[in-house]
């Protein structure tokens, strides 16, 4: 499935003939724009989905948590064991760190943020998702973005950056930069699990950069709120 095809996802004129009770298992059959009315419908579909092999091993598809009305969407990589068990994203160690980082600039996951992942099912042994898995799952992420309509999208780590924007640049090179995409502002940031492996807070370390990026993000959110 071509992701360019899916980018027309924000044009819902193709959706009329799509039957939501039969999910195409063939990834070449796109899920058209406007298929879903809300996040719950996406969740219901993902829990029955077999567009890739991860559908055989998941306990729960992991769709999202937070406020569906939030202006900020955070996109992670893939569910891990805790997420597969609970059906909620970022509930393990890296999720706790992410919540703490957000809180440190006055952002609350329950009110200011919605969190989702590039792929909805856990890859075995927490390996990175394959290109095929990302492509199979991409329509769900694009539908989430269409429905949630976030103004700011934070892409945590290289998989999120590559998965959504097809941008293969290393995170360390472009973190903290705003990228305009589909009328939204995206910012690549470090993945919290990378910060767990690099705990120093000294200047110019990953944690320090994350703190700088979070302040820029909070300022942009405040600016957007003032414009309303
Ligand atoms: N948990 C998630 O849900 N996503 C990640 O990318 C990492 C941990």
């Amino acid at each position: 499935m071509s992701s360019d095809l899916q980018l027309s996802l924000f044009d819902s004129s193709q959706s009329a003939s799509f039957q939501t009770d039969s999910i195409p298992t063939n990834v070449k059959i796109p899920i058209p724009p406007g298929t879903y009315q809300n996040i719950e419908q996406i969740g219901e579909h993902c829990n029955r989905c077999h567009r890739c092999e991860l559908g055989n091993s998941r306990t729960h598809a992991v769709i999202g948590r937070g406020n569906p009305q939030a202006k900020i969407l955070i996109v992670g990589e893939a569910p891990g064991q805790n997420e597969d068990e609970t059906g909620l994203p970022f509930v393990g160690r890296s999720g706790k760190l992410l919540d703490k980082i957000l809180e440190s600039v006055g952002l609350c996951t329950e009110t200011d943020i919605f969190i989702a992942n590039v792929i909805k099912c856990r890859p075995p042994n927490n390996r990175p998702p394959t290109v095929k898995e990302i492509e199979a799952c991409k329509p769900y992420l694009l539908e989430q973005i269409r429905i949630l309509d976030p103004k700011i999208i934070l892409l945590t780590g290289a998989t999120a950056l590559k998965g959504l924007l097809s941008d293969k640049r290393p995170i360390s090179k472009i973190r903290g930069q705003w990228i305009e995409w589909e009328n939204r502002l995206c910012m690549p940031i470090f993945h919290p699990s990378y910060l767990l492996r690099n705990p120093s807070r000294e200047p110019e370390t990953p944690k320090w950069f994350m703190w700088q990026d979070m302040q820029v993000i909070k300022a942009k959110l405040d600016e957007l709120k003032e414009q309303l």
Side-chain angles (χ1 to χ4, degrees), residues 92-207:
R93 271 184 78 214
S94 57
K96 296 211 164 44
L97 177 59
L98 181 62
D99 286 345
K100 247 171 86 179
I101 292 168
L102 292 167
E103 275 164 27
S104 74
V105 291
L107 293 171
C108 163
T109 324
E110 307 311 317
T111 54
D112 300 308
I113 311 279
F114 193 87
I115 307 184
N117 282 311
V118 169
I119 67 163
K120 312 303 183 208
C121 298
R122 182 190 180 201
N125 306 315
N126 299 336
R127 64 155 170 75
T130 64
V131 172
K132 252 171 104 176
E133 289 158 0
I134 292 172
E135 285 304 309
C137 218
K138 192 160 180 176
Y140 297 128
L141 178 61
L142 292 177
E143 275 290 79
Q144 282 189 299
I145 294 172
R146 186 183 62 76
I147 291 168
L148 297 166
D149 195 23
K151 302 300 170 232
I152 294 174
I153 302 179
L154 306 180
L155 300 163
T156 65
T159 303
L161 175 64
K162 202 164 64 166
L164 187 64
L165 304 187
S166 306
D167 190 326
K168 298 197 177 111
R169 285 177 289 174
I171 284 288
S172 55
K173 290 272 181 310
I174 59 162
R175 53 131 283 279
Q177 295 180 26
W178 291 115
I179 301 171
E180 265 194 69
W181 174 80
E182 295 285 330
N183 239 346
R184 305 166 206 284
L185 285 173
C186 300
M187 185 188 282
I189 56 174
F190 285 123
H191 194 285
S193 65
Y194 182 70
L195 303 179
L196 285 172
R197 298 193 297 274
N198 294 275
S200 167
R201 291 160 185 252
E202 292 298 305
E204 315 255 314
T205 58
K207 252 192 170 166

Side-chain angles (χ1 to χ4, degrees), residues 21-94:
D21 51 358
S22 61
I23 311 160
T25 49
N26 182 344
V27 293
K28 295 209 170 75
I29 303 174
I31 296 175
T35 294
Y36 303 105
Q37 307 300 310
N38 52 49
I39 298 295
E40 288 70 29
Q41 282 181 357
I42 300 179
E44 202 266 318
H45 229 184
C46 286
N47 273 295
R48 292 188 286 126
C49 178
H50 286 277
R51 285 166 69 80
C52 77
E53 293 194 348
L54 300 182
N56 299 334
S57 52
R58 69 164 171 256
T59 312
H60 295 105
V62 174
I63 311 307
R65 71 176 169 103
N67 178 4
Q69 260 83 50
K71 291 198 167 27
I72 301 181
L73 169 68
I74 297 183
V75 181
E77 180 175 301
Q81 184 180 355
N82 294 304
E83 289 80 12
D84 176 68
E85 281 167 8
T86 58
L88 294 168
F90 279 103
V91 290
R93 271 184 78 214
S94 57

